[in-house]
Amino acid sequence: MNSQPAGDRSERLDGLNARARAMGQAWKPRLAVVADWMTTVDHKKIAILYFLSGMTFLLIAGMEGQLIRVQLAQSELRILDPNLYNQLFTMHGTTMVFFAGMPLIIAYFNFVVPLQIGARDVAFPRLNMFSWWLAVFGGLFLYASVPLGSMPDGGWFAYTPLTNREYSPGRGMDFYVLALLLAGVGTIAGGVNFVVTILNLRAPGMTFMRLPLFTWMALVVSILILLAFPPFTVGLLFLLFDRNFGTHFFDAAAGADPLLWQHLFWVFGHPEVYILVLPAFGIASEVIPTFSRKGLFGYPVVVFSGVLIAFLGFGVWAHHMFAVGMGPLANSVFAGATMLIAVPTGIKIFNWIATMWGGKLRFTTPMLWAIGLVSMFIIGGLSGVMHASPPTDLQQTDTYFIVAHFHYVLIGGLVFGLFAGLYYWFPKATGKMLSDKLGKWHFWLTLAAFNITFFPMHFSGLLGMPRRTFTYPSELGLDGFNLVSTIGAGLFTVAFVPLIVNLWKTLRNGEPAGANPWGAPTLEWSTGSPPPHYNFAVVPRVQRRDPLWHPWIRPEEEEAGDHEDAGPGGVEPRLQPEVAPEPVVMPSNSWWPMVMSIGMLIATVGGLGSLETTLVGAAITLVGLFGWAFEPAFRDGAGHL
Amino acid sequence: MSELAPVTGIRNRKLAMWTFIGSECMLFATLISTYMVYRGRNLIGPYPHELLNVPFITVTTFVLLMSSLCMVLALAAMQQGNRRQARFRLFLTAALGLVFLVGQFYEFNHFHHEGLGLSRNLFSSTFYILTGTHGAHVLGGVIWLSTLFLRLGSGPIDAERIETVEIAGLYWHFVDAVWIILFTLIYLLA
Amino acid sequence: MYRTPTDISNRALAALTGLAARRAPVSGGGGSCVEIAAVVAALAAGLGACGGPYPQSAVHPASDMAVKLDDLFDQILWWAAGVFVVVQGILFYTLFRFREKQARRRPREFHGHTLLEIGWTLVPALILVAIAVPTIRVIFEVDRPTTDENALVVEVEARRWWWEFSYPEYDLVTANEMHIPVGRTIDVRMRSADVLHSFWVPRLGGKRDVVPGRENHIWFKADSTGVFLGQCAEFCGVAHALMGFRVIVQDPSEFQEWVGASLLDAPRPTSADGRAGAGVFATSACVGCHTVRGVATAQQGFGPDLTHFGSRLTIGAGILENNVDNLVTWLDSTQHVKPGALMPEVEMSEEQLRQLARFLLEMR
């Protein structure tokens, strides 16, 4: 039964090494490092891979946004060809949501969740790597359309019938459909992985009501992924068949209803908003208590409101369709449900403020980002209530007012949260402290740039600026607002400079972080920075929420009176021994996730019109699947995690 | 490393299968909703009532149900450690699944000859994609069961392997249950 | 051409900056964020001021429907402004009061407070009810078909990338410019010839998507005369940005005059150039797509109806002013002026183009 895959692997490595020797000794260690990263099953390394790929796509999509702003700087400009403009906004949205936003939140899941629940890895380490490969291959496949000059141009929402073959005859929308199908498989696999991880791998004593908020949100979001992605997958499948095999799912002439696509898309698309934003809320719920030196206010209420947001999120999709003519009853129902979501969202905001109330606030960089999130999200939430009302939405939908709204949600919410998390957990991941000074430059510049870019869009939208138009007539009188937005967008690029400098300087010679530089309460801070491969030398036993604040930090603080908090290099309780008392067996690296994903990528490429390629890809996929299934997870076959 | 007991009491692989099935429910729910929403909106023939052969599909449905029964029996044999019976019943489960697929192939082929190509009309689109997606699931199950059958030729019958068969069974029963719904909605209520 | 308030003291700007000129319900305590927002908004407003007036504005209503939507928006905006100021105020007060240097003692733990939790669940819920009630009332006012039997039906057919307007009452078809009488209910019924579009004249009413395979309605009663800008508001492909139109609201008598004139066949050109142009037109590719009532060869409905083209304000679906030079440019380099347009560029000499343009303009 045990065909010797471990042997295979070392043979392969040997082969690579032999080639490396031929190229020169210097390559040997580097190649081994590359091979290690390509086959890793360590959730912390996979997190870094997710982060890097997500950031790369974020920067690419950000540049696409910049080009859009350049074209719109003044009325009636012809800097970009309209076809190119349409491709750019399609790629900007698709990339940001699927290949920047999703991978980045999953990067944080990967790094933080196992550490927070006291586990040594996720439930299915190889599946984890498989998900990452598919996320990357999906993105690369989408961007393969760029050199071929056939980028998708039907919008990230891909409304039919515009995206049917008849009206979008190019290959562009096929790239879109296939890329999202491919990445979607990986995302669903990731959802399964994290649900099982969080349900099953919690350390003894880590009950649901002791779970850190971020992990809670990871659980909720993973369930959302599992329920929201399949309808979208089906929609994509329909579109694929309509475009390539002449079916009629969205063909009004055959008796179908083109609006079906909108329903399928938004049944997924609206929960997707919460998939992206709830993790950011989770990060805020970690950062704010830590830097208020005070436990989260109303923990069960915050948890429950997160669950409620997710649940309600499935009942509001048609508020994206108030203008399609669903009739007054349907519009009223969806309006009511949508407004209802404002209640749990408000609860979260009030609980964060109450957490800070009476605390001892330290305005570190992560704290600034978290506060920025709270403040900016209020704006996005309030404008959201405005178009939760269908009559006002009739004036706002498909205008820049909406563009302003969802950028306040997705930048003010998601991106601010991601940066809060980056500055917060970077010391844990690398063992080095990011510069607080540069971090604050990054924060204030971003805050200014973000508001200068997007706040004027509220006005331009209300005053008649439609979305998704490559230009606008000067008679609209909107040149001023647009120019401000464009200037802000330019500043946005500048705002990234301190971050890049900070990362570069810190990685070269940053201050060492120590296990718990922030004096934070959750389990990830009880182990080394960076954590050892096995995370915890001894599996922790959890007795209460915020375990590191009880009983170590609090009494000590009480005695000291005005206690000097454990800062960088400060003294903090080290809960984990330096060395594991007994050997820890961790799962071995594996090539099979990569083999299988390559097979699926090839099959996807075949989807562009070559059945043979698809069959070859399917065969490789099958080989990868069997290789994976018959390969023991542990080199010496020593049971499961 | 000492293995920690899964917190839920359900081991990871099985919990993953349950989770996956939950996700699959949404997949089929979407496909079925589409079929139901579009039912009766066909503008050109052939129409469902002209083609659907209920007695024939009743037989293949029965075959699929029997395969589920075989699956239950196979798991029982595994738990008793009876290798020969377990293998035989797994083989039978897969074989019955294959018979169902052959039936579906025959049906598709017949429809095609009656002028119902994939791109013929709204009915053909929804029908082929819905039943085809289900068929693909059956095919995946047949391949999985065949692999189990082959691998059971050697090695011990331990808790690990019993659980593997149990998980495959979960999947197989789910696929069968979906077919019962499809059979009812597509054929019986046509 | 159109009338809009020249001042920029529209309610959106005023209320969102929290510096409302009208009665301001702003309770004090606003923190620095409000100030920042005010500065940003003032900056935006200042620059925006250079651009006005705003002919496509949703907050300068000129019909019963647009007024209803705008009034509702105002209500919600005031609630939002109030909530914004209060919540940001509390947030920044908290940040200020409990900053590290201020806090003398270790933070006191309190993990929850049931009454507070109930309070901040109920208060937002009540505010939402206050928003939901008028919302639902307005939905039922504007979303149901009109009951006005005297309504003027205008059928809209949206196409890539122009608009056809027909008046069943008068058996009249025109394109890209919709004439309507002031003070009479207009029942707009829309269909799409190809993909999704959306009918939107912000000053006269909200959007309504035009969906293939179904007929959608919107109705409104314009309360002042003038020319109002409209625009397709659902992404519909390459030239989506250039799919504008005009709604010309006239006194009933003027409107009747327009109807009467429009029902006539196209007038014969008077100038020599125009007559030459008529010849060019009749034998050109133009007649393969366009209708001109009065020209026997031009009876195709694929392109816009060009009868009385000379009386239109714009060409190319609201993108160029209608005059000889623009018309020549349009005919000569259609794909440059409106990339993606389904109208091919015609191969003609400069002279022929000019004659053609004259002919079209003389069809008033």
Side-chain angles (χ1 to χ4, degrees), chain A residues 78 298 323 351 361 397 462 554, chain C residues 58 100 106 111 117 207 336:
Chain A
R78 285 291 174 86
N351 277 291
L361 307 182
T397 181
L462 286 175
R554 282 324 170 83
Chain C
E100 192 174 17
R106 194 182 73 77
H111 280 296
E117 298 283 2
K207 291 173 199 75
H336 176 74

Side-chain angles (χ1 to χ4, degrees), chain A residues 1 120 123-124 188 192 195-196 199-202 204 226-227 230-231 233-234 237-238 241 245-249 252-257 260 264 314 539 583-585 626 629-630 639-641, chain B residues 1-13 15-16 19-20 22-24 26-27 30-31 34 37-38 41-43 118-122 124-126 129 133 143 147 151 154 160-161:
Chain A
M1 171 184 143
R120 285 179 164 150
F124 304 101
I188 291 177
V192 171
V195 168
V196 176
L199 291 183
N200 256 1
L201 299 193
R202 282 169 289 142
L226 291 175
L227 300 180
T233 305
V234 170
L237 201 65
F238 290 167
F241 272 79
F245 305 106
T247 53
H248 304 279
F249 288 101
D257 188 349
L260 175 70
L264 295 181
F314 270 101
V539 175
V584 181
V585 181
F626 279 104
F630 298 153
H640 286 259
L641 258 187
Chain B
M1 176 186 117
S2 63
E3 155 106 352
L4 286 174
V7 179
T8 54
I10 306 166
R11 298 198 47 212
N12 290 350
R13 289 190 302 160
L15 190 61
T19 316
F20 176 67
S23 192
E24 288 276 280
M26 287 300 286
L27 185 91
T30 312
L31 286 163
T34 303
V37 165
Y38 280 164
R41 292 176 65 155
N42 218 8
L43 296 180
L118 173 64
S119 61
R120 172 68 189 171
N121 56 26
L122 202 52
S124 69
S125 306
T126 49
I129 298 294
T133 305
I143 294 172
T147 314
R151 289 193 71 197
S154 61
E160 187 80 16
R161 289 184 132 187

Side-chain angles (χ1 to χ4, degrees), chain A residues 139-155:
Chain A
L140 291 179
F141 179 77
L142 181 69
Y143 274 84
S145 66
V146 177
L148 296 176
S150 57
M151 289 181 266
D153 57 0

Side-chain angles (χ1 to χ4, degrees), chain A residues 161-162 166-169, chain C residues 157-163 192-197 236-240 242-243 302-304 317 338 340-343:
Chain A
L162 180 63
E166 183 182 359
Y167 301 111
S168 296
Chain C
E157 184 166 84
R159 291 163 170 261
R160 291 179 307 159
W161 289 277
W162 59 280
W163 304 83
S192 167
D194 36 56
V195 299
L196 291 165
H197 300 278
C236 57
V238 191
H240 165 59
L242 302 177
M243 187 171 163
F302 185 72
K338 186 166 179 169
L342 299 183
M343 176 165 136

Side-chain angles (χ1 to χ4, degrees), chain A residues 2 134 214 258 298 323 330 355 387 398 427 504 526 620:
Chain A
N2 288 352
L134 289 188
F214 180 76
T355 304
H387 34 259
D398 274 310
W504 187 69
S526 69
I620 297 174

Side-chain angles (χ1 to χ4, degrees), chain B residues 45-68:
Chain B
Y47 295 91
H49 60 87
E50 300 167 3
L51 289 177
L52 295 177
N53 185 343
V54 179
F56 174 73
I57 293 298
T58 310
V59 173
T60 64
T61 304
F62 182 73
V63 167
L64 200 60
L65 278 179
M66 286 306 105
S67 84
S68 247

Side-chain angles (χ1 to χ4, degrees), chain C residues 265-271 274-275 278 293-296 359 362-364:
Chain C
D265 282 354
R268 299 198 170 279
T270 47
S271 71
R275 279 196 294 275
R293 273 174 285 125
V295 177
F359 160 71
E362 283 175 22
M363 292 195 295
R364 294 191 62 82

